[in-house]
PDB file of all heavy atoms in Angstrom:
ATOM      1  N   SER A 251      -0.193   7.216   1.969  1.00 66.00           N
ATOM      2  CA  SER A 251      -1.158   8.218   1.545  1.00 66.00           C
ATOM      3  C   SER A 251      -0.960   9.514   2.322  1.00 66.00           C
ATOM      4  O   SER A 251      -0.628   9.508   3.494  1.00 66.00           O
ATOM      5  CB  SER A 251      -2.570   7.672   1.764  1.00 66.00           C
ATOM      6  OG  SER A 251      -3.428   8.688   2.180  1.00 66.00           O
ATOM      7  N   LEU A 252      -1.170  10.629   1.640  1.00 78.00           N
ATOM      8  CA  LEU A 252      -1.018  11.919   2.314  1.00 78.00           C
ATOM      9  C   LEU A 252      -2.375  12.494   2.703  1.00 78.00           C
ATOM     10  O   LEU A 252      -2.493  13.614   3.161  1.00 78.00           O
ATOM     11  CB  LEU A 252      -0.247  12.889   1.432  1.00 78.00           C
ATOM     12  CG  LEU A 252       1.261  12.582   1.329  1.00 78.00           C
ATOM     13  CD1 LEU A 252       1.937  13.510   0.360  1.00 78.00           C
ATOM     14  CD2 LEU A 252       1.928  12.651   2.695  1.00 78.00           C
ATOM     15  N   GLU A 253      -3.398  11.680   2.538  1.00 85.00           N
ATOM     16  CA  GLU A 253      -4.738  12.091   2.917  1.00 85.00           C
ATOM     17  C   GLU A 253      -4.825  12.207   4.435  1.00 85.00           C
ATOM     18  O   GLU A 253      -4.235  11.411   5.155  1.00 85.00           O
ATOM     19  CB  GLU A 253      -5.710  10.995   2.489  1.00 85.00           C
ATOM     20  CG  GLU A 253      -6.757  11.452   1.513  1.00 85.00           C
ATOM     21  CD  GLU A 253      -7.529  10.242   1.006  1.00 85.00           C
ATOM     22  OE1 GLU A 253      -8.450   9.821   1.706  1.00 85.00           O
ATOM     23  OE2 GLU A 253      -7.152   9.722  -0.055  1.00 85.00           O
ATOM     24  N   LYS A 262     -10.956  12.712  15.840  1.00 97.00           N
ATOM     25  CA  LYS A 262     -10.206  13.942  15.559  1.00 97.00           C
ATOM     26  C   LYS A 262      -9.318  13.706  14.331  1.00 97.00           C
ATOM     27  O   LYS A 262      -9.002  12.577  13.987  1.00 97.00           O
ATOM     28  CB  LYS A 262      -9.326  14.282  16.757  1.00 97.00           C
ATOM     29  CG  LYS A 262     -10.108  14.778  17.968  1.00 97.00           C
ATOM     30  CD  LYS A 262      -9.930  16.265  18.080  1.00 97.00           C
ATOM     31  CE  LYS A 262     -10.415  16.874  19.372  1.00 97.00           C
ATOM     32  NZ  LYS A 262     -11.601  16.420  20.006  1.00 97.00           N
ATOM     33  N   LYS A 266       0.107  13.913  10.406  1.00 95.00           N
ATOM     34  CA  LYS A 266       1.129  13.115   9.727  1.00 95.00           C
ATOM     35  C   LYS A 266       2.498  13.445  10.314  1.00 95.00           C
ATOM     36  O   LYS A 266       2.878  14.610  10.381  1.00 95.00           O
ATOM     37  CB  LYS A 266       1.184  13.446   8.239  1.00 95.00           C
ATOM     38  CG  LYS A 266      -0.090  13.182   7.518  1.00 95.00           C
ATOM     39  CD  LYS A 266       0.029  11.975   6.624  1.00 95.00           C
ATOM     40  CE  LYS A 266      -1.332  11.639   6.059  1.00 95.00           C
ATOM     41  NZ  LYS A 266      -1.766  10.298   6.321  1.00 95.00           N
ATOM     42  N   LEU A 307       8.160   9.764  19.417  1.00 94.00           N
ATOM     43  CA  LEU A 307       8.248   9.898  20.875  1.00 94.00           C
ATOM     44  C   LEU A 307       8.243  11.355  21.310  1.00 94.00           C
ATOM     45  O   LEU A 307       7.631  11.713  22.313  1.00 94.00           O
ATOM     46  CB  LEU A 307       9.492   9.181  21.401  1.00 94.00           C
ATOM     47  CG  LEU A 307       9.470   7.654  21.223  1.00 94.00           C
ATOM     48  CD1 LEU A 307      10.765   7.046  21.743  1.00 94.00           C
ATOM     49  CD2 LEU A 307       8.275   7.030  21.925  1.00 94.00           C
ATOM     50  N   PHE A 315      -3.346  12.892  26.952  1.00 97.00           N
ATOM     51  CA  PHE A 315      -4.271  12.815  25.838  1.00 97.00           C
ATOM     52  C   PHE A 315      -5.672  12.478  26.338  1.00 97.00           C
ATOM     53  O   PHE A 315      -5.836  12.018  27.478  1.00 97.00           O
ATOM     54  CB  PHE A 315      -3.809  11.738  24.848  1.00 97.00           C
ATOM     55  CG  PHE A 315      -2.546  12.103  24.125  1.00 97.00           C
ATOM     56  CD1 PHE A 315      -1.340  11.507  24.463  1.00 97.00           C
ATOM     57  CD2 PHE A 315      -2.553  13.049  23.114  1.00 97.00           C
ATOM     58  CE1 PHE A 315      -0.167  11.838  23.810  1.00 97.00           C
ATOM     59  CE2 PHE A 315      -1.387  13.395  22.449  1.00 97.00           C
ATOM     60  CZ  PHE A 315      -0.194  12.784  22.793  1.00 97.00           C
ATOM     61  N   ALA A 316      -6.641  12.725  25.475  1.00 96.00           N
ATOM     62  CA  ALA A 316      -8.028  12.422  25.840  1.00 96.00           C
ATOM     63  C   ALA A 316      -8.192  10.925  26.077  1.00 96.00           C
ATOM     64  O   ALA A 316      -7.634  10.112  25.352  1.00 96.00           O
ATOM     65  CB  ALA A 316      -8.962  12.879  24.712  1.00 96.00           C
ATOM     66  N   PRO A 327      -9.982   3.647   9.421  1.00 96.00           N
ATOM     67  CA  PRO A 327     -10.132   4.926   8.730  1.00 96.00           C
ATOM     68  C   PRO A 327      -9.642   4.870   7.295  1.00 96.00           C
ATOM     69  O   PRO A 327      -9.910   5.756   6.500  1.00 96.00           O
ATOM     70  CB  PRO A 327      -9.265   5.879   9.557  1.00 96.00           C
ATOM     71  CG  PRO A 327      -8.358   5.028  10.360  1.00 96.00           C
ATOM     72  CD  PRO A 327      -8.965   3.663  10.484  1.00 96.00           C
ATOM     73  N   SER A 328      -8.944   3.819   6.951  1.00 93.00           N
ATOM     74  CA  SER A 328      -8.406   3.735   5.617  1.00 93.00           C
ATOM     75  C   SER A 328      -9.347   2.993   4.657  1.00 93.00           C
ATOM     76  O   SER A 328      -9.489   3.361   3.500  1.00 93.00           O
ATOM     77  CB  SER A 328      -7.032   3.074   5.708  1.00 93.00           C
ATOM     78  OG  SER A 328      -6.613   2.605   4.508  1.00 93.00           O
ATOM     79  N   VAL A 332     -14.545  -3.039   9.856  1.00 97.00           N
ATOM     80  CA  VAL A 332     -14.492  -3.034  11.318  1.00 97.00           C
ATOM     81  C   VAL A 332     -13.167  -3.665  11.752  1.00 97.00           C
ATOM     82  O   VAL A 332     -12.770  -4.710  11.263  1.00 97.00           O
ATOM     83  CB  VAL A 332     -15.680  -3.819  11.914  1.00 97.00           C
ATOM     84  CG1 VAL A 332     -15.568  -3.888  13.436  1.00 97.00           C
ATOM     85  CG2 VAL A 332     -16.985  -3.166  11.516  1.00 97.00           C
ATOM     86  N   GLU A 343      -0.326  -9.578  26.188  1.00 86.00           N
ATOM     87  CA  GLU A 343      -0.432  -8.495  27.151  1.00 86.00           C
ATOM     88  C   GLU A 343      -1.022  -7.223  26.556  1.00 86.00           C
ATOM     89  O   GLU A 343      -1.731  -6.496  27.219  1.00 86.00           O
ATOM     90  CB  GLU A 343       0.950  -8.179  27.739  1.00 86.00           C
ATOM     91  CG  GLU A 343       1.216  -9.020  28.969  1.00 86.00           C
ATOM     92  CD  GLU A 343       2.653  -8.977  29.388  1.00 86.00           C
ATOM     93  OE1 GLU A 343       3.331  -7.998  29.059  1.00 86.00           O
ATOM     94  OE2 GLU A 343       3.083  -9.932  30.052  1.00 86.00           O
ATOM     95  N   GLN A 345      -3.308  -5.364  23.736  1.00 93.00           N
ATOM     96  CA  GLN A 345      -4.327  -5.552  22.709  1.00 93.00           C
ATOM     97  C   GLN A 345      -4.364  -4.363  21.770  1.00 93.00           C
ATOM     98  O   GLN A 345      -4.467  -3.219  22.209  1.00 93.00           O
ATOM     99  CB  GLN A 345      -5.683  -5.719  23.373  1.00 93.00           C
ATOM    100  CG  GLN A 345      -6.288  -7.049  23.059  1.00 93.00           C
ATOM    101  CD  GLN A 345      -7.732  -7.163  23.488  1.00 93.00           C
ATOM    102  OE1 GLN A 345      -8.298  -6.259  24.068  1.00 93.00           O
ATOM    103  NE2 GLN A 345      -8.318  -8.293  23.195  1.00 93.00           N
ATOM    104  N   GLU A 361       0.593   2.217  23.830  1.00 95.00           N
ATOM    105  CA  GLU A 361       0.754   0.817  23.401  1.00 95.00           C
ATOM    106  C   GLU A 361       2.014   0.590  22.575  1.00 95.00           C
ATOM    107  O   GLU A 361       2.647  -0.457  22.687  1.00 95.00           O
ATOM    108  CB  GLU A 361      -0.492   0.357  22.626  1.00 95.00           C
ATOM    109  CG  GLU A 361      -1.679   0.124  23.535  1.00 95.00           C
ATOM    110  CD  GLU A 361      -2.954  -0.269  22.802  1.00 95.00           C
ATOM    111  OE1 GLU A 361      -3.028  -0.125  21.566  1.00 95.00           O
ATOM    112  OE2 GLU A 361      -3.883  -0.700  23.484  1.00 95.00           O
ATOM    113  N   GLU A 368       8.743  -5.068  24.576  1.00 90.00           N
ATOM    114  CA  GLU A 368       8.697  -6.538  24.610  1.00 90.00           C
ATOM    115  C   GLU A 368       9.898  -7.196  23.940  1.00 90.00           C
ATOM    116  O   GLU A 368      10.427  -8.181  24.420  1.00 90.00           O
ATOM    117  CB  GLU A 368       7.419  -7.036  23.919  1.00 90.00           C
ATOM    118  CG  GLU A 368       6.205  -6.986  24.791  1.00 90.00           C
ATOM    119  CD  GLU A 368       5.049  -7.728  24.156  1.00 90.00           C
ATOM    120  OE1 GLU A 368       4.739  -7.471  22.970  1.00 90.00           O
ATOM    121  OE2 GLU A 368       4.478  -8.578  24.821  1.00 90.00           O
ATOM    122  N   TYR A 369      10.278  -6.678  22.795  1.00 89.00           N
ATOM    123  CA  TYR A 369      11.364  -7.308  22.041  1.00 89.00           C
ATOM    124  C   TYR A 369      12.363  -6.281  21.533  1.00 89.00           C
ATOM    125  O   TYR A 369      11.996  -5.197  21.105  1.00 89.00           O
ATOM    126  CB  TYR A 369      10.823  -8.087  20.837  1.00 89.00           C
ATOM    127  CG  TYR A 369       9.919  -9.209  21.217  1.00 89.00           C
ATOM    128  CD1 TYR A 369       8.560  -9.091  21.058  1.00 89.00           C
ATOM    129  CD2 TYR A 369      10.433 -10.384  21.741  1.00 89.00           C
ATOM    130  CE1 TYR A 369       7.703 -10.115  21.423  1.00 89.00           C
ATOM    131  CE2 TYR A 369       9.596 -11.415  22.108  1.00 89.00           C
ATOM    132  CZ  TYR A 369       8.234 -11.277  21.948  1.00 89.00           C
ATOM    133  OH  TYR A 369       7.394 -12.291  22.304  1.00 89.00           O
ATOM    134  N   ALA A 377      11.963 -15.726  17.546  1.00 93.00           N
ATOM    135  CA  ALA A 377      12.503 -16.803  18.375  1.00 93.00           C
ATOM    136  C   ALA A 377      11.515 -17.151  19.482  1.00 93.00           C
ATOM    137  O   ALA A 377      11.266 -18.321  19.765  1.00 93.00           O
ATOM    138  CB  ALA A 377      13.837 -16.377  18.974  1.00 93.00           C
ATOM    139  N   ASP A 378      10.942 -16.130  20.077  1.00 92.00           N
ATOM    140  CA  ASP A 378       9.966 -16.334  21.136  1.00 92.00           C
ATOM    141  C   ASP A 378       8.743 -17.053  20.591  1.00 92.00           C
ATOM    142  O   ASP A 378       8.193 -17.958  21.212  1.00 92.00           O
ATOM    143  CB  ASP A 378       9.567 -14.972  21.727  1.00 92.00           C
ATOM    144  CG  ASP A 378       8.878 -15.119  23.078  1.00 92.00           C
ATOM    145  OD1 ASP A 378       9.064 -16.171  23.711  1.00 92.00           O
ATOM    146  OD2 ASP A 378       8.168 -14.185  23.492  1.00 92.00           O
ATOM    147  N   LEU A 384       6.825 -24.645  19.808  1.00 93.00           N
ATOM    148  CA  LEU A 384       7.414 -25.936  20.156  1.00 93.00           C
ATOM    149  C   LEU A 384       6.871 -26.426  21.500  1.00 93.00           C
ATOM    150  O   LEU A 384       6.559 -27.589  21.671  1.00 93.00           O
ATOM    151  CB  LEU A 384       8.943 -25.824  20.228  1.00 93.00           C
ATOM    152  CG  LEU A 384       9.650 -25.671  18.876  1.00 93.00           C
ATOM    153  CD1 LEU A 384      11.133 -25.418  19.078  1.00 93.00           C
ATOM    154  CD2 LEU A 384       9.433 -26.912  18.020  1.00 93.00           C
ATOM    155  N   MET A 386       4.037 -25.705  22.827  1.00 91.00           N
ATOM    156  CA  MET A 386       2.655 -26.126  22.659  1.00 91.00           C
ATOM    157  C   MET A 386       2.578 -27.511  22.034  1.00 91.00           C
ATOM    158  O   MET A 386       1.780 -28.342  22.430  1.00 91.00           O
ATOM    159  CB  MET A 386       1.903 -25.110  21.802  1.00 91.00           C
ATOM    160  CG  MET A 386       1.277 -24.025  22.654  1.00 91.00           C
ATOM    161  SD  MET A 386       0.615 -22.614  21.766  1.00 91.00           S
ATOM    162  CE  MET A 386       0.189 -23.267  20.176  1.00 91.00           C
ATOM    163  N   LEU A 387       3.418 -27.760  21.048  1.00 92.00           N
ATOM    164  CA  LEU A 387       3.434 -29.065  20.374  1.00 92.00           C
ATOM    165  C   LEU A 387       3.846 -30.156  21.357  1.00 92.00           C
ATOM    166  O   LEU A 387       3.297 -31.248  21.370  1.00 92.00           O
ATOM    167  CB  LEU A 387       4.402 -29.032  19.193  1.00 92.00           C
ATOM    168  CG  LEU A 387       3.938 -28.234  17.985  1.00 92.00           C
ATOM    169  CD1 LEU A 387       5.040 -28.144  16.948  1.00 92.00           C
ATOM    170  CD2 LEU A 387       2.686 -28.863  17.368  1.00 92.00           C
TER     171      LEU A 387
END
Side-chain angles (χ1 to χ4, degrees):
S251 143
L252 287 175
E253 240 172 83
K262 288 255 191 322
K266 300 252 173 236
L307 294 178
F315 291 105
S328 162
V332 176
E343 271 167 24
Q345 241 190 358
E361 286 177 346
E368 279 191 309
Y369 298 104
D378 197 21
L384 288 174
M386 270 170 27
L387 287 174

